[in-house]
């Protein structure tokens, strides 16, 4: 699989969060905090992580699976983008 660029990671992340939560992508993109979205709980987090990892080939390291990572959509995208960049450096 080719390494995804940040735009792909962003698109995959938005689509995944929207799909798992059953929400319109616009609603998710405009949310100030993921935790405030209906259905965003620990089970949803695991489903979101699994799907993003499957669709991007990027595994989020355990040290990034912390509440701050899920503060906003942008933080989640940044975490996967950074993890992908680290993987390419190795």
């Amino acid at each position: 699989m080719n390494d995804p660029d940040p735009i792909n990671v962003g698109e995959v992340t938005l689509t995944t969060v929207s799909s798992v939560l059953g929400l319109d992508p616009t609603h998710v993109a405009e949310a100030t905090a993921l935790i405030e979205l209906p259905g965003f709980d620990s089970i949803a987090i695991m489903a979101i992580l699994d799907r993003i990892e499957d669709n991007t080939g990027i595994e989020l390291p355990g040290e990034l699976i912390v509440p701050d990572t899920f503060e906003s959509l942008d933080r989640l995208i940044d975490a996967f983008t950074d993890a992908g960049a680290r993987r390419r450096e190795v």
Side-chain angles (χ1 to χ4, degrees), residues 6-64:
I7 294 170
N8 275 346
V9 171
E11 185 175 313
V12 168
T13 303
L14 174 60
T15 302
T16 301
V17 172
S18 300
S19 175
V20 168
L21 299 179
L23 299 172
D24 184 89
T26 303
H27 183 72
V28 173
E30 293 174 351
T32 55
L34 292 177
I35 194 71
E36 295 175 1
L37 293 171
F40 193 84
D41 58 19
S42 59
I43 295 170
I45 288 171
M46 295 312 298
I48 289 165
L49 290 177
D50 284 343
R51 288 190 195 178
I52 295 171
E53 289 175 354
D54 287 347
N55 289 321
T56 63
I58 300 169
E59 185 174 331
L60 201 62
E63 66 266 12
L64 291 180

